[in-house]
Amino acid sequence: SMPPTNMPWPEPGKEEDWTSVDRVCREVLEANPEALLLPRIPMSPPTWWCEAHPDDVMLWDRGGQRRRPAVVASPEYRRDASERLRALVEHLEAEFGDHVAGYHPIGQNTGEWFYQDTWLSPLNGYSKASQTAWRRWLQDHYGSDAALQAAWGDPNVRCADAPVPSPEMRRAAPAGTLRHPIHERPLIDFAQFQQEMMADCVCHFARTVREASKGRKLVVFFYGYVFEFGAVANGPAISGHYALRKVLQSPDIDILCSPISYFDRALGESAPAMTAAESVALAGKMWLYEDDSRTYLASGHFATYHRSGADTLEQTKAMLLRNTGECAVRNFGTWWMDLGASGWFDDPAMWAQMDALRPLDEALLHQPRAFRPEVAAVIDEQSMIRVAAGGDKLTRPAVYEVRRPLGRMGTPYGQYLLDDVAAGRVKAKMYVFLTPWCLAPEQRRALLDATKGTMRIWCYAPGYQEPNRIAPPEAMQELTGFRLQETKQPQAWAVPTEVGKRLGLQQEFGTQQALRPLFAPVDAKPEETLFVYPDGTPAVALRQTGDGYSLFVGPPGLTSELLRLAARQAGVHLYASTDCNVYANGPFIVLHAASDGLLEIDTNTGTAVIDLLTGKSLGKGPKITLEVQHGVTRILQTGSTPSP
């Protein structure tokens, strides 16, 4: 990947100037004539364009005039930006063709195609262009004023003049953490509109690159951070990243990427993906980690900003081994990102790690293996766009932070979109349904059919809504096998019962805040009840059903202990029975230690085990013991001959 080139976008009647674009490319090729370029192309229009198109620049409800990117839904912006993008790609193809691997258009917040200022408090969507696009969307979506009036329960609303929902409506949460499917229909629709506009814009520019490069070059975009945006205070849907399925269906995109999650990326932690990465692979695309880890050489503004990182060369090597080893076993791409271009990776000892990983890469390139772990963490886009403002008190623990216990449970997990599971494309022994809050009746049945005979973990409010109504209580029971009733707890907090403690469950979890709605499995027997709410009502219960197991988890979040207990019950293979970050595929096991001490590993095979990095024998499986320190990475290979 390269530093951003600029995109010449001259005023009408002026010539474009390619000098600086060419200079950046030549600089790289002079340093390495073998290099393949992947230029980042900023898609934001210049000031003159914004001044000429005042209706097509973003407008927030509170100030927010610092940076004014164009409205992604604006046809004028899409047309003009596409024209400039096409010219740039054609120029680079003519000038540097064989040296260009692909193109990476960037735009909106930090170039990552989520709405500018998603993490801040102002709300966007109030420009003329947004309003026009919203009305067009309503017309396309509903087809008639009568259908819109019925859906919104408002006899006076019309597609041609429906207002963008007011900031007051968007900031309120009258029904609790989830939008009400009838009373707050305009807000759910507006959230859907905002996702689709961003996805359409991304797909539009992808098509431009595909055509301009005559289908010969890779097309790369940042998009789809469906786990990461669980932490957004105004609600995940503010981001515009919850139309990932739409983007995955575009034939014009080859690679989607993001930084490694900014959560849980320190030493001893799991470096999780921001997205449903395994669904990206199922769609025939590659997920790529931009590894902007703070190395021991990091300096400048970004080094202070990245709190978790490495302070010594040894720590840096352990971190890069973990990250790059994970990418190898999960079939991700990766690039090392020198943030602020100040030499974060300027040490040959770091690059020696890449050489050390060659046996891992080459084996997997020679004999590719799909990454199909026995545990699937499942997220649903439709449910996420129904999270109200302030709903991060639910989605931060339930979606964003839940990757920590998933990462530490001692076996690898995959990250999937719910529609893949419903379609029968995901085979696992344990499914963790993180956000199954809004399901149509046919989806409920499809999920149950596709996961027969497995462990199903149902989180928070499973089956609570259908797309157009609050579901009948039988829906939740059909899904989970439990009779769920609303409970008015002052805290959505889980405390282990004596039964739970006997099974090794020590840790409490959840949020200290009240959540509405919140459910209790009121028919859970004492021997099924693993955790209770503060007032003693059942909060977490495990039941054997006619076709597998059902674990209902009311409070948001999970613990690695609870996941291990469920995994054992489901017959999932645990490589470690204490907290450890594990990635595994085929004969390869990547371990990143979460604590100091002796780590017992069950390799799942009776064959010889070697340390991939040293070639030394570690004994014969299935059980081997390693002495590890917190934050150390070990890579094991089973069934292989040790080097002499």
Side-chain angles (χ1 to χ4, degrees):
S1 179
M2 300 166 53
T5 44
N6 70 2
M7 182 162 74
W9 192 328
E11 291 183 59
K14 293 199 175 152
E15 279 295 290
E16 68 245 291
D17 176 2
W18 302 111
T19 353
S20 72
V21 173
D22 293 350
R23 189 174 58 241
V24 173
C25 296
R26 289 217 173 88
E27 229 168 79
V28 176
L29 293 173
E30 276 159 21
N32 177 4
E34 299 295 292
L36 285 172
L37 307 175
L38 183 61
R40 283 190 184 195
I41 303 169
M43 299 299 294
S44 263
T47 310
W48 72 260
W49 188 95
C50 295
E51 284 166 0
H53 299 84
D55 293 345
D56 298 276
V57 293
M58 289 179 77
L59 195 59
W60 286 262
D61 72 320
R62 301 175 174 171
Q65 298 303 334
R66 303 174 293 115
R67 287 182 300 258
R68 294 174 67 189
V71 173
V72 291
S74 154
E76 283 72 16
Y77 164 62
R78 290 184 191 176
R79 182 197 63 217
D80 292 1
S82 265
E83 200 177 287
R84 297 318 313 149
L85 178 59
R86 185 181 301 277
L88 177 59
V89 170
E90 286 170 352
H91 171 81
L92 289 172
E93 284 295 293
E95 230 22 62
F96 302 99
D98 295 345
H99 288 289
V100 182
Y103 297 92
H104 185 188
I106 60 171
Q108 288 289 312
N109 204 103
T110 46
E112 295 169 90
W113 296 111
F114 57 94
Y115 286 105
Q116 185 66 50
D117 297 347
T118 285
W119 293 104
L120 306 181
S121 73
L123 294 167
N124 78 69
Y126 295 101
S127 64
K128 260 295 182 17
S130 286
Q131 205 166 46
T132 307
W134 164 234
R135 290 165 180 169
R136 193 181 314 116
W137 184 90
L138 289 171
Q139 183 62 53
D140 293 346
H141 189 74
Y142 285 106
S144 73
D145 289 342
L148 174 66
Q149 288 160 0
W152 284 17
D154 177 353
N156 301 314
V157 69
R158 296 196 323 235
C159 297
D161 55 13
V164 169
S166 73
E168 294 68 36
M169 280 172 74
R170 290 168 68 187
R171 290 178 193 286
T177 52
L178 302 175
R179 298 279 184 216
H180 192 285
I182 299 168
H183 311 318
E184 294 183 277
R185 186 84 226 166
L187 294 166
I188 294 171
D189 282 347
F190 188 72
Q192 185 67 43
F193 157 77
Q194 284 214 303
Q195 314 317 301
E196 288 182 20
M197 289 305 107
M198 188 64 81
D200 287 347
C201 185
V202 162
C203 295
H204 182 78
F205 292 149
R207 164 61 48 94
T208 302
V209 176
R210 189 62 103 208
E211 289 170 357
S213 63
K214 305 211 165 31
R216 290 193 305 251
K217 298 297 161 79
L218 294 170
V219 182
V220 184
F221 275 87
F222 288 119
Y223 191 79
Y225 303 4
V226 290
F227 283 81
E228 203 72 3
F229 290 133
V232 172
N234 279 327
I238 294 299
S239 64
H241 269 228
Y242 292 90
L244 175 55
R245 176 54 65 202
K246 195 168 200 175
V247 169
L248 292 178
Q249 283 166 340
S250 162
D252 304 313
I253 295 172
D254 303 294
I255 298 175
L256 289 175
C257 56
S258 78
I260 296 171
S261 173
Y262 290 108
F263 171 75
D264 210 50
R265 64 149 62 179
L267 280 168
E269 297 181 342
S270 68
M274 291 189 176
T275 195
E278 279 61 48
S279 276
V280 174
L282 282 177
K285 309 208 183 294
M286 179 183 266
W287 186 257
L288 184 145
Y289 265 0
E290 168 169 292
D291 190 342
D292 57 355
S293 295
R294 180 172 66 71
T295 70
Y296 83 102
L297 290 176
S299 62
H301 154 73
F302 292 107
T304 18
Y305 175 73
H306 280 262
R307 288 180 297 281
S308 47
D311 301 320
T312 64
L313 174 60
E314 276 318 298
Q315 287 181 353
T316 301
K317 282 159 68 174
M319 191 174 265
L320 293 176
L321 268 181
R322 172 198 64 190
N323 300 351
T324 317
E326 176 193 351
C327 289
V329 297
R330 287 180 85 176
N331 300 314
F332 293 176
T334 184
W335 61 57
W336 288 359
M337 174 70 173
D338 180 5
L339 258 192
S342 53
W344 286 22
F345 294 90
D346 194 5
D347 181 338
M350 291 186 212
W351 294 92
Q353 300 298 81
M354 284 283 194
D355 288 335
L357 287 167
R358 193 158 283 157
L360 177 59
D361 274 335
E362 282 177 357
L364 288 166
L365 283 168
H366 177 64
Q367 217 178 357
R369 288 172 181 273
F371 177 67
R372 297 280 185 269
E374 295 184 320
V375 179
V378 185
I379 191 168
D380 175 47
E381 299 195 282
Q382 277 309 305
S383 293
M384 287 297 275
I385 67 164
R386 286 165 184 254
V387 176
D392 59 319
K393 66 181 176 181
L394 163 64
T395 52
R396 180 182 276 275
V399 175
Y400 180 79
E401 290 170 357
V402 79
R403 294 170 298 174
R404 177 172 289 167
L406 283 164
R408 299 282 193 287
M409 77 182 134
T411 196
Y413 70 100
Q415 291 167 272
Y416 297 93
L417 292 176
L418 183 128
D419 58 7
D420 273 335
V421 179
R425 289 190 282 263
V426 182
K427 292 284 169 265
K429 291 183 178 175
M430 176 160 119
Y431 296 85
V432 188
F433 291 104
L434 296 168
T435 64
W437 311 321
C438 175
L439 299 171
E442 60 275 16
Q443 277 180 303
R444 289 198 300 267
R445 290 188 274 280
L447 288 180
L448 290 170
D449 283 348
T451 59
K452 268 198 176 66
T454 66
M455 168 69 71
R456 303 154 175 152
I457 302 182
W458 300 106
C459 297
Y460 181 58
Y464 169 61
Q465 296 190 3
E466 290 173 2
N468 300 318
R469 63 173 186 167
I470 300 287
E474 308 86 72
M476 300 181 87
Q477 190 159 2
E478 176 192 18
L479 209 51
T480 64
F482 287 102
R483 199 154 58 78
L484 300 177
Q485 257 177 29
E486 249 187 270
T487 171
K488 296 269 187 281
Q489 299 289 327
Q491 297 175 327
W493 190 251
V495 182
T497 58
E498 286 311 312
V499 171
K501 285 179 188 159
R502 278 203 300 279
L503 292 168
L505 302 172
Q506 306 289 320
Q507 274 172 296
E508 302 183 359
F509 70 95
T511 172
Q512 305 283 357
Q513 304 185 65
L515 289 183
R516 232 170 21 97
L518 188 65
F519 294 92
V522 288
D523 62 338
K525 302 183 184 76
E527 65 273 18
E528 295 175 321
T529 306
L530 306 180
F531 291 80
V532 289
Y533 288 113
D535 74 351
T537 311
V540 175
L542 175 60
R543 175 171 286 179
Q544 188 157 8
T545 64
D547 64 350
Y549 291 93
S550 181
L551 176 61
F552 169 77
V553 183
L558 291 159
T559 69
S560 56
E561 297 168 336
L562 180 56
L563 285 162
R564 267 196 293 280
L565 172 71
R568 280 200 186 93
Q569 202 73 55
V572 168
H573 175 73
L574 291 173
Y575 291 87
S577 45
T578 52
D579 276 15
C580 179
N581 303 289
V582 180
Y583 302 100
N585 196 356
F588 303 107
I589 307 168
V590 178
L591 303 167
H592 185 69
S595 56
D596 296 349
L598 287 176
L599 186 60
E600 191 174 88
I601 295 297
D602 180 346
T603 63
N604 206 20
T605 164
T607 57
V609 184
I610 63 162
D611 182 313
L612 181 94
L613 300 172
T614 63
K616 290 201 172 65
S617 172
L618 297 170
K620 222 162 124 55
K623 294 266 169 48
I624 61 160
T625 304
L626 303 173
E627 172 82 56
V628 294
Q629 286 79 46
H630 172 266
V632 160
T633 304
R634 301 290 296 271
I635 302 181
L636 316 184
Q637 184 174 358
T638 58
S640 49
T641 341
S643 63

